[in-house]
Amino acid sequence: MSKRSILILKALIHLCLLAPFVYLVEFFRNGCLALKADPVNYITHFTGDWALYILLASLAVTPLRRLSPKIAFLIRFRRLVGLYSFFYASLHLATYIFLFSGYDLSTALISLKAGHPAEFVTQWKLVWPGIWDDLLKRRFIQVGFFSWLILLALACTSPSFMLRAMGGKNWQRLHRLVYIATIAACIHFWWLVKTGVRTPWKVSAVLAILFAARLIYTAMKKKRQSASIEQSA
Ligand code: HEM
C-alpha cells in the first residue's frame, strides 16, 4: 500500500473516530442536549459506550488482518484506534468527575473568568470525598477505574520511542493487557445495569467472538508448527 493511501486512510479513521465527539459537542451547542431528561447521564453513557465500541474495534484489527494478506496493512492503525478509545474513556472519567459527581463546573468557570481560579480546587474539595466513597464502595466504579488505568498505561507506552525503550517483547506483553481492560470494561457495564437488564450482552458477545478468533488462530498456528517439525524430522 502506498504512503499516500495510508495517509488518506489515517485521515479517514481520524474523521470517523472524532465523529461521535463532534456530534456530542454539536448536540450541546444546538441546545438538544439540554432537552434530554438527564443531560449528564446522557454524556456519561454516550462516552462510556464509545470508549467500549472503539476498544472492541481495536481488538478486532488483529483477527481481521489475518483473514487476508491484502488487508495486513490494517495493523498500522491499531494503535491509533486504541488511543481514541482512551480518549473517550478519559472523557467518560472527566464527565464522572466534573459533572456526575456534583462538581459545579459552571461556578468554577465563572470564578475563573472573574480571576478566582482557586474555585476549581474548592469544588474539587467538595466532591472528592463522594468520589473516594464511590471508589471504595461501588464495585462497578472500581472495575471501570481499573480498566481506565490499563488504558492509561497503554496510551503512555504507545509512542515508538517507548517501544524501543521497553523492547519488543516487554511492550507486547504489556499491550496484551488490552484484553484485560476490555473484559473489565464489560464487567463494569454488567455491574452497573439493574438486575435483569441484559443490555451489555451485545458488547460481551463481540468480545467472546474476538477471543474465540484468537484461540482458533493460536491453535491453528501450533498445529502448523508441529506439522512442519514432523515434516522436517
Ligand atoms: C475511569 C473510571 C470510570 C468511571 C468512574 C466510570 C463511571 C461510570 C458511570 C458513573 C456510569 C453510569 C452509571 C449509571 O448510569 O448508573 C458508567 C457507564 C458506563 N461506562 Fe464507565 N466508568 C469508568 C470507566 C469506564 C471505561 C474504561 C469504560 C470502557 C472502556 C466504560 C464504559 C462504560 C459503559 C459502556 C457504560 C454504560 C453505558 C450505557 O449504559 O449505555 N467506563 N461509567
Side-chain angles (χ1 to χ4, degrees):
M1 191 166 231
S2 72
K3 233 178 176 181
R4 193 164 167 265
S5 318
I6 294 278
L7 273 177
I8 294 174
L9 260 176
K10 226 174 210 176
L12 270 175
I13 292 173
H14 275 294
L15 275 178
C16 289
L17 298 182
L18 272 173
F21 178 65
V22 174
Y23 167 87
L24 192 62
V25 172
E26 181 53 24
F27 206 52
F28 167 75
R29 212 191 51 80
N30 65 22
C32 288
L33 184 63
L35 298 176
K36 288 270 164 201
D38 187 343
V40 171
N41 204 38
Y42 181 85
I43 307 173
T44 312
H45 286 246
F46 185 89
T47 48
D49 280 342
W50 279 102
L52 188 50
Y53 297 157
I54 299 173
L55 194 54
L56 288 168
S58 78
L59 284 189
V61 169
T62 305
L64 274 180
R65 66 143 188 160
R66 281 173 182 152
L67 288 178
S68 157
K70 281 184 191 154
I71 50 171
F73 65 86
L74 283 179
I75 198 70
R76 288 167 177 245
F77 308 113
R78 196 177 53 182
R79 230 187 300 184
L80 178 64
V81 178
L83 282 173
Y84 267 103
S85 171
F86 175 65
F87 168 67
Y88 283 98
S90 302
L91 274 181
H92 182 63
L93 175 62
T95 310
Y96 169 75
I97 293 176
F98 294 110
L99 300 172
F100 204 87
S101 68
Y103 190 102
D104 196 344
L105 192 60
S106 52
T107 303
L109 288 173
I110 291 167
S111 305
L112 182 71
K113 271 189 192 161
H116 303 294
E119 183 61 26
F120 272 95
V121 182
T122 313
Q123 285 296 328
W124 171 248
K125 279 184 185 160
L126 286 175
V127 297
W128 88 263
I131 292 178
W132 185 242
D133 208 44
D134 259 3
L135 196 55
L136 291 181
K137 287 191 189 142
R138 294 183 166 194
R139 58 183 192 159
F140 87 88
I141 298 280
Q142 291 161 357
V143 76
F145 192 61
F146 172 66
S147 170
W148 181 80
L149 281 180
I150 295 179
L151 295 181
L152 173 70
L154 302 189
C156 290
T157 54
S158 80
S160 308
F161 72 87
M162 285 302 288
L163 191 149
R164 281 193 296 274
M166 290 174 69
K169 272 256 153 63
N170 287 335
W171 191 88
Q172 222 173 9
R173 247 179 243 145
L174 179 74
H175 280 252
R176 271 196 204 120
L177 288 181
V178 68
Y179 289 97
I180 306 290
T182 318
I183 294 172
C186 282
I187 294 175
H188 170 68
F189 200 173
W190 277 110
W191 279 352
L192 70 89
V193 294
K194 289 192 180 80
T195 320
V197 177
R198 301 262 170 263
T199 333
W201 80 264
K202 284 180 208 151
V203 281
S204 309
V206 173
L207 181 60
I209 291 169
L210 292 173
F211 262 118
R214 201 188 162 90
L215 287 179
I216 291 169
Y217 175 78
T218 314
M220 280 166 57
K221 200 173 152 190
K222 271 194 185 149
K223 212 173 164 187
R224 266 203 307 268
Q225 274 169 350
S226 53
S228 70
I229 290 169
E230 270 170 29
Q231 260 178 4
S232 58

